Amino acid sequence: MRLRAAGPEDAAACVTILREWINETPWMPMLHSRDSMDAFWRGRLEECSAWVAEAQGEVCGFVVRDGAYITALYVASGIRGTGLGTRLLELAASSGEPETRLWVFEANEIALRFYLRAGFRELSRTQGDNEEGLPDILLTRSGPDPGPPPQANDR
């Protein structure tokens, strides 16, 4: 498995993984057409910090970070549960930001357990203040301890 920086050229593969997840998730509505999702994700992969995982030259997972927030983390169905999600999460969380935040749908119990095991904690909940109209949970995790501040002679 190879992890690498993502770019706009990876949008179609990422959208395929995302649409696969939506189609497998009964409570998740499909709100956008394939074309509009491709255009949106091309922009996101260009303007945000993003990484993809490749196996045999095919994108099989991706993660997107926008400032303090991880805004997407998806793994293709055939390889979920293999540790790839953890690798992508840790890659995105190691950006040097003092905190990592993300939203998870309340109904996504598998993802919620995954993030709690990874050290995230709940900050707040909504009753569906999102495009999907679904209750969600804001999670946070502190970044690695940067250590003591540099001394004058360390500069």
Side-chain angles (χ1 to χ4, degrees), residues 34-73:
R34 173 70 199 223
D35 289 343
S36 68
M37 289 176 78
D38 283 348
F40 174 81
W41 285 100
R42 268 193 306 278
R44 294 298 289 162
L45 296 178
E46 191 166 39
E47 62 196 35
C48 297
S49 299
W51 299 267
V52 294
E54 289 181 321
Q56 287 98 35
E58 298 289 325
V59 173
C60 55
F62 70 102
V63 63
V64 179
R65 183 173 184 129
D66 187 356
Y69 286 84
I70 291 177
T71 59
L73 173 57

Coordinates of all heavy atoms in Angstrom, one line a residue, residues 34-73:
R34 N -23.1 12.5 -10.0 CA -21.6 12.1 -10.2 C -20.8 13.3 -10.7 O -19.8 13.6 -10.2 CB -21.5 10.9 -11.1 CG -20.1 10.5 -11.5 CD -19.4 9.9 -10.3 NE -18.0 9.9 -10.5 CZ -17.2 8.9 -10.1 NH1 -17.7 7.8 -9.7 NH2 -15.9 9.0 -10.2
D35 N -21.4 14.0 -11.7 CA -20.6 15.1 -12.3 C -20.4 16.2 -11.3 O -19.3 16.8 -11.2 CB -21.3 15.7 -13.5 CG -21.3 14.7 -14.7 OD1 -20.4 13.8 -14.7 OD2 -22.1 14.9 -15.6
S36 N -21.4 16.6 -10.5 CA -21.2 17.7 -9.5 C -20.3 17.2 -8.4 O -19.5 18.1 -7.9 CB -22.5 18.1 -9.0 OG -23.1 17.2 -8.2
M37 N -20.3 16.0 -8.0 CA -19.3 15.5 -7.0 C -17.9 15.5 -7.6 O -17.0 15.9 -6.8 CB -19.7 14.1 -6.6 CG -21.0 14.1 -5.7 SD -21.5 12.4 -5.3 CE -20.3 12.0 -3.9
D38 N -17.7 15.1 -8.8 CA -16.4 15.1 -9.4 C -15.8 16.6 -9.4 O -14.7 16.8 -9.0 CB -16.4 14.6 -10.8 CG -16.5 13.1 -10.9 OD1 -16.3 12.4 -9.9 OD2 -16.7 12.6 -12.0
A39 N -16.7 17.5 -9.8 CA -16.2 18.9 -9.8 C -15.9 19.4 -8.4 O -14.9 20.1 -8.2 CB -17.3 19.8 -10.5
F40 N -16.7 19.1 -7.4 CA -16.5 19.6 -6.1 C -15.2 19.0 -5.5 O -14.4 19.7 -5.0 CB -17.7 19.2 -5.2 CG -17.5 19.4 -3.7 CD1 -17.7 20.7 -3.2 CD2 -17.0 18.4 -2.9 CE1 -17.4 21.0 -1.9 CE2 -16.8 18.7 -1.5 CZ -17.0 20.0 -1.0
W41 N -15.0 17.7 -5.7 CA -13.8 17.1 -5.1 C -12.5 17.4 -5.9 O -11.5 17.5 -5.3 CB -14.0 15.5 -5.0 CG -14.9 15.2 -3.9 CD1 -16.3 15.0 -3.9 CD2 -14.6 15.3 -2.5 NE1 -16.8 14.8 -2.7 CE2 -15.8 15.0 -1.7 CE3 -13.4 15.6 -1.8 CZ2 -15.8 15.0 -0.4 CZ3 -13.4 15.5 -0.4 CH2 -14.6 15.3 0.3
R42 N -12.6 17.8 -7.2 CA -11.4 18.3 -7.8 C -11.0 19.6 -7.1 O -9.8 19.7 -6.9 CB -11.7 18.6 -9.3 CG -11.4 17.4 -10.2 CD -11.4 17.8 -11.7 NE -12.6 18.5 -12.1 CZ -13.8 17.9 -12.5 NH1 -13.8 16.6 -12.5 NH2 -14.8 18.6 -12.9
G43 N -11.9 20.4 -6.8 CA -11.6 21.6 -6.1 C -11.0 21.4 -4.7 O -10.0 22.0 -4.3
R44 N -11.7 20.5 -4.0 CA -11.2 20.2 -2.6 C -9.8 19.6 -2.6 O -9.0 20.0 -1.8 CB -12.2 19.2 -1.9 CG -13.5 19.8 -1.6 CD -13.6 20.9 -0.7 NE -13.3 20.5 0.7 CZ -12.9 21.4 1.6 NH1 -12.7 22.6 1.4 NH2 -12.6 20.9 2.8
L45 N -9.5 18.7 -3.5 CA -8.2 18.1 -3.6 C -7.1 19.0 -4.0 O -5.9 18.8 -3.7 CB -8.2 16.8 -4.5 CG -9.1 15.7 -4.0 CD1 -9.1 14.6 -5.0 CD2 -8.8 15.2 -2.6
E46 N -7.5 20.1 -4.7 CA -6.6 21.1 -5.1 C -6.3 22.1 -3.9 O -5.2 22.6 -3.7 CB -7.1 21.9 -6.3 CG -6.1 22.8 -7.0 CD -6.5 23.2 -8.3 OE1 -7.7 23.4 -8.6 OE2 -5.6 23.2 -9.2
E47 N -7.3 22.5 -3.2 CA -7.2 23.6 -2.2 C -6.8 23.1 -0.8 O -6.4 23.9 0.1 CB -8.4 24.4 -2.2 CG -9.7 23.7 -1.8 CD -10.9 24.5 -2.1 OE1 -11.0 25.2 -3.2 OE2 -11.9 24.4 -1.3
C48 N -7.0 21.8 -0.5 CA -6.8 21.3 0.9 C -5.6 20.4 0.9 O -5.1 20.0 -0.2 CB -8.0 20.5 1.3 SG -9.5 21.5 1.5
S49 N -5.2 20.0 2.1 CA -4.2 18.9 2.2 C -4.9 17.6 2.1 O -5.9 17.4 2.8 CB -3.5 19.0 3.6 OG -2.8 20.2 3.7
A50 N -4.5 16.8 1.2 CA -5.2 15.5 0.9 C -4.2 14.5 0.5 O -3.1 14.7 -0.1 CB -6.2 15.7 -0.2
W51 N -4.5 13.2 0.9 CA -3.7 12.1 0.6 C -4.6 10.9 0.1 O -5.7 10.8 0.5 CB -2.9 11.6 1.8 CG -2.0 12.7 2.3 CD1 -0.7 12.8 2.1 CD2 -2.3 13.7 3.3 NE1 -0.2 13.9 2.7 CE2 -1.2 14.5 3.5 CE3 -3.5 14.0 4.0 CZ2 -1.2 15.5 4.4 CZ3 -3.5 15.1 4.8 CH2 -2.3 15.9 5.0
V52 N -4.0 10.1 -0.8 CA -4.7 8.9 -1.2 C -3.8 7.7 -0.9 O -2.6 7.8 -0.8 CB -5.0 8.9 -2.7 CG1 -6.0 10.0 -3.1 CG2 -3.8 9.0 -3.6
A53 N -4.5 6.6 -0.8 CA -3.8 5.3 -0.6 C -4.0 4.5 -2.0 O -5.1 4.5 -2.5 CB -4.4 4.5 0.5
E54 N -2.9 3.9 -2.5 CA -3.0 3.1 -3.7 C -2.5 1.7 -3.4 O -1.6 1.5 -2.7 CB -2.0 3.7 -4.7 CG -2.4 5.0 -5.3 CD -1.5 5.5 -6.4 OE1 -0.2 5.4 -6.2 OE2 -1.9 6.1 -7.4
A55 N -3.2 0.8 -4.1 CA -2.8 -0.6 -4.1 C -2.9 -1.1 -5.6 O -3.9 -0.8 -6.2 CB -3.7 -1.5 -3.2
Q56 N -1.9 -1.7 -6.1 CA -1.8 -2.1 -7.5 C -2.2 -0.9 -8.4 O -2.9 -1.1 -9.4 CB -2.7 -3.3 -7.7 CG -2.1 -4.6 -7.2 CD -2.8 -4.9 -5.8 OE1 -3.9 -4.7 -5.6 NE2 -2.0 -5.5 -5.0
G57 N -1.8 0.3 -8.1 CA -2.0 1.4 -8.9 C -3.4 2.0 -8.9 O -3.7 3.0 -9.6
E58 N -4.3 1.5 -8.0 CA -5.6 2.0 -7.9 C -5.8 2.7 -6.5 O -5.4 2.2 -5.5 CB -6.6 0.8 -8.0 CG -6.6 0.0 -9.3 CD -7.2 0.8 -10.4 OE1 -8.1 1.6 -10.2 OE2 -6.7 0.7 -11.5
V59 N -6.5 3.8 -6.6 CA -6.8 4.5 -5.3 C -7.8 3.7 -4.6 O -8.9 3.3 -5.1 CB -7.4 5.9 -5.6 CG1 -7.9 6.6 -4.3 CG2 -6.3 6.8 -6.3
C60 N -7.5 3.4 -3.3 CA -8.4 2.6 -2.5 C -8.8 3.3 -1.2 O -9.5 2.7 -0.3 CB -7.8 1.2 -2.2 SG -6.2 1.3 -1.5
G61 N -8.4 4.5 -1.0 CA -8.8 5.3 0.2 C -8.2 6.7 0.1 O -7.3 7.0 -0.7
F62 N -8.9 7.6 0.8 CA -8.4 9.0 0.8 C -8.8 9.7 2.1 O -9.7 9.3 2.8 CB -8.9 9.8 -0.4 CG -10.4 10.0 -0.4 CD1 -10.9 11.3 -0.1 CD2 -11.3 9.1 -0.8 CE1 -12.2 11.6 -0.1 CE2 -12.7 9.4 -0.8 CZ -13.1 10.6 -0.5
V63 N -8.0 10.8 2.4 CA -8.3 11.6 3.5 C -8.0 13.1 3.1 O -7.1 13.3 2.4 CB -7.4 11.2 4.8 CG1 -6.0 11.4 4.5 CG2 -7.9 12.0 6.0
V64 N -8.8 14.0 3.6 CA -8.7 15.4 3.3 C -8.7 16.2 4.6 O -9.5 16.0 5.5 CB -9.9 15.9 2.4 CG1 -9.8 17.4 2.1 CG2 -9.9 15.1 1.1
R65 N -7.7 17.1 4.7 CA -7.6 18.0 5.9 C -7.7 19.4 5.4 O -7.0 19.8 4.5 CB -6.3 17.8 6.6 CG -6.3 18.6 7.9 CD -5.1 18.3 8.7 NE -5.2 19.1 10.0 CZ -5.1 18.6 11.2 NH1 -4.9 17.3 11.4 NH2 -5.2 19.4 12.2
D66 N -8.6 20.2 6.1 CA -8.7 21.6 5.8 C -8.5 22.4 7.1 O -9.4 22.4 7.9 CB -10.1 21.9 5.2 CG -10.3 23.3 4.7 OD1 -9.4 24.1 4.8 OD2 -11.4 23.6 4.2
G67 N -7.3 22.9 7.3 CA -7.0 23.6 8.5 C -7.0 22.6 9.7 O -6.3 21.5 9.6
A68 N -7.7 22.8 10.7 CA -7.8 21.9 11.9 C -8.7 20.7 11.6 O -8.7 19.8 12.4 CB -8.3 22.7 13.1
Y69 N -9.5 20.8 10.5 CA -10.5 19.8 10.3 C -10.1 18.7 9.3 O -9.7 19.0 8.2 CB -11.8 20.4 9.8 CG -12.5 21.2 10.9 CD1 -12.1 22.5 11.3 CD2 -13.5 20.6 11.7 CE1 -12.8 23.1 12.3 CE2 -14.2 21.2 12.7 CZ -13.8 22.5 13.0 OH -14.4 23.2 14.1
I70 N -10.4 17.4 9.7 CA -10.4 16.4 8.7 C -11.8 16.4 8.1 O -12.8 16.2 8.9 CB -10.0 15.0 9.3 CG1 -8.5 15.0 9.7 CG2 -10.3 13.9 8.3 CD1 -8.0 13.8 10.4
T71 N -12.0 16.6 6.8 CA -13.3 16.8 6.3 C -13.7 15.5 5.5 O -14.9 15.4 5.1 CB -13.3 18.0 5.3 OG1 -12.4 17.8 4.3 CG2 -13.0 19.3 6.1
A72 N -12.8 14.6 5.3 CA -13.2 13.3 4.6 C -12.2 12.3 4.9 O -11.0 12.6 5.0 CB -13.3 13.5 3.1
L73 N -12.7 11.1 5.2 CA -11.8 9.9 5.3 C -12.6 8.7 4.9 O -13.6 8.3 5.6 CB -11.3 9.7 6.8 CG -10.6 8.4 7.1 CD1 -9.4 8.3 6.2 CD2 -10.2 8.4 8.6

